[in-house]
Amino acid sequence: MKLLDRYIARQYLINVIALLLIFASFVVTIDVSLNFDRFVSAADRYLKEESANPGFVRRAVVTALLIADLWWPRLLQLFNYTLGMVMVGAMGFTFAQLVRGRELVGVLAGGIALHRAAGAVFVASLALTGVQIANQELVIPRIAAMLVRDHGDAGKRALGETSVPMYKDSQGRLWFARAFKADEGELAGLMVWERDAQGLATTRIAADSARWNGKAWDLENGSAVRLDEPEAPSAVKRIETNLDPTAIKMRRYAGFAQSLSWMQVSQMLRRPELLDERGVAELERIRWGRLSILTANLLALAVAMPFFLRREPCNMIVQSLKCAPIAITALMGGVLGASAAIPGLPPQVGVFVPVMVLLPVAIGMATSVRT
């Protein structure tokens, strides 16, 4: 029995790896073809900094290295995003190969139920899910700064310096900074406007720079001026706000919040005084939504499996066409349900609505297998 399990699991994992490689190659090829000029420009910039007079070969090598530098962290993130779809597709290919070779007929002839063959695939899927969790919690947070880079930033290892547009914190204050040094957690040329209930500015706080100390921004040469009652500026040494460096990164760089680990999100949620209601709900959806998506991926696999787990040979193309809309709906429902707010439900419950819908469907499909 163990030999059969190893054989099916090995075939399944080979198909998973093949699909991941094919999908990654397709995505990278499309992106490079659309942004090749930007990669070449970035390579020319690096070569110019070295004061080199590059030839064609050196220029091509540097361009290829920049493409690899930009995409290797993105591929790790892409693995997490596409694993559910890949697991379902690899399961279909695996059982299609077993059906075509009449191997499932041999399994039945040996007195072994088809659920045993399904169990080998499901155990391998649990192992892949474990790899996905380790990747999300241990690897992705360490390379978060590399995931928000643009094509022109290939080769850089830091977020660098960027401006901070008008951001509103949980107390209604408007924040602007001439420069935000994301890697040092420092603001330069800071301006903060405090407002009344009608949204009118009442106080302007200015500082040459500000550095985050873990709880608040420490201001250098900070001063506050009342706009409704002009008077001499008063010194301000620190400001407490929910706009810490991580929050600014989350707003400034799309997708940065998705790169935080469970522990990092939990640490932010343990500071409710620095978060508004919308920010708390978003972080709760990110945290619990990951668990919901992992569960929905496994349930989608269970829903799709009976279409390919057949006692007798049949047309697998037809089975694939029957399975595709159901599997895609289950996978996309899990992703959308984990990211969209459901009115009337707290985010900790709302993200699990797709799981609650898929669970009875998966149980019904699993028990419908004729074996």
Side-chain angles (χ1 to χ4, degrees):
M1 299 291 284
K2 293 182 179 179
L3 179 62
L4 175 64
D5 295 334
R6 289 199 302 269
Y7 173 75
I8 295 176
R10 182 175 66 250
Q11 192 65 36
Y12 173 67
L13 292 175
I14 290 174
N15 287 327
V16 167
I17 294 172
L19 287 178
L20 285 173
L21 291 176
I22 292 172
F23 191 73
S25 300
F26 176 78
V27 172
V28 173
T29 301
I30 295 298
D31 180 78
V32 171
S33 64
L34 294 176
N35 298 281
F36 186 74
D37 291 342
R38 302 187 66 185
F39 285 116
V40 173
S41 298
D44 291 339
R45 184 176 66 251
Y46 278 99
L47 292 172
K48 185 177 180 180
E49 292 175 357
E50 297 177 359
S51 299
N53 187 16
F56 173 79
V57 175
R58 180 172 175 79
R59 190 183 185 195
V61 170
V62 173
T63 302
L65 291 175
L66 290 178
I67 293 172
D69 178 80
L70 180 72
W71 267 102
W72 75 260
R74 291 188 177 188
L75 289 178
L76 292 176
Q77 190 177 50
L78 187 66
F79 168 80
N80 281 7
Y81 289 157
T82 61
L83 183 61
M85 180 177 61
V86 168
M87 289 194 303
V88 173
M91 177 274 301
F93 282 115
T94 300
F95 285 131
Q97 293 164 352
L98 295 176
V99 169
R100 184 180 59 187
R102 307 298 193 267
E103 291 171 282
L104 290 184
V105 175
V107 170
L108 289 171
I112 303 172
L114 292 181
H115 290 107
R116 184 56 185 265
V121 171
F122 205 78
V123 170
S125 298
L126 287 175
L128 289 170
T129 302
V131 174
Q132 182 181 9
I133 294 173
N135 184 44
Q136 178 63 61
E137 299 301 317
L138 301 178
V139 180
I140 297 298
R142 297 173 182 266
I143 59 174
M146 302 176 68
L147 292 171
V148 296
R149 296 178 301 171
D150 193 35
H151 297 83
D153 299 326
K156 296 181 180 179
R157 288 294 182 272
L159 292 175
E161 184 176 304
T162 182
S163 62
V164 175
M166 287 286 187
Y167 286 152
K168 184 174 71 172
D169 64 8
S170 58
Q171 300 181 37
R173 295 176 295 198
L174 293 178
W175 289 65
F176 169 81
R178 176 176 49 80
F180 171 51
K181 300 177 181 178
D183 305 292
E184 292 83 9
E186 183 177 339
L187 296 170
L190 176 65
M191 299 286 289
V192 181
W193 289 270
E194 295 182 347
R195 302 186 296 171
D196 58 19
Q198 287 73 38
L200 299 176
T202 59
T203 304
R204 183 182 70 243
I205 301 174
D208 294 340
S209 64
R211 180 175 289 274
W212 183 255
N213 63 14
K215 296 182 179 180
W217 291 99
D218 291 329
L219 306 183
E220 181 179 346
N221 298 327
S223 62
V225 176
R226 295 279 301 181
L227 301 179
D228 51 354
E229 299 176 3
E231 56 185 22
S234 58
V236 179
K237 294 184 177 180
R238 57 182 288 171
I239 305 178
E240 292 190 1
T241 177
N242 67 314
L243 280 176
D244 62 2
T246 301
I248 295 177
K249 293 176 188 176
M250 289 168 56
R251 297 191 187 187
R252 192 69 181 88
Y253 303 100
F256 189 87
Q258 299 295 336
S259 301
L260 300 177
S261 67
W262 179 286
M263 184 177 298
Q264 289 172 325
V265 174
S266 299
Q267 289 174 350
M268 295 188 67
L269 288 170
R270 283 197 289 268
R271 300 166 57 198
E273 73 281 358
L274 300 181
L275 292 170
D276 55 17
E277 183 178 352
R278 181 179 178 182
V280 170
E282 180 183 359
L283 290 178
E284 290 286 6
R285 276 196 299 273
I286 290 174
R287 182 169 66 162
W288 294 104
R290 291 174 183 172
L291 182 59
S292 173
I293 292 175
L294 294 175
T295 307
N297 288 343
L298 294 173
L299 291 176
L301 180 67
V303 169
M305 202 173 293
F307 287 95
F308 301 94
L309 203 59
R310 311 294 298 180
R311 293 191 306 173
E312 66 284 339
C314 61
N315 192 330
M316 288 291 105
I317 296 179
V318 174
Q319 296 301 111
S320 299
L321 293 176
K322 293 179 181 179
C323 173
I326 297 176
I328 292 175
T329 300
L331 292 170
M332 294 304 298
V335 174
L336 295 176
S339 57
I342 300 179
L345 289 178
Q348 299 91 331
V349 177
V351 295
F352 288 102
V353 169
V355 173
M356 291 184 283
V357 173
L358 286 174
L359 183 59
V361 177
I363 295 175
M365 292 295 290
T367 57
S368 68
V369 177
R370 300 174 61 190
T371 183

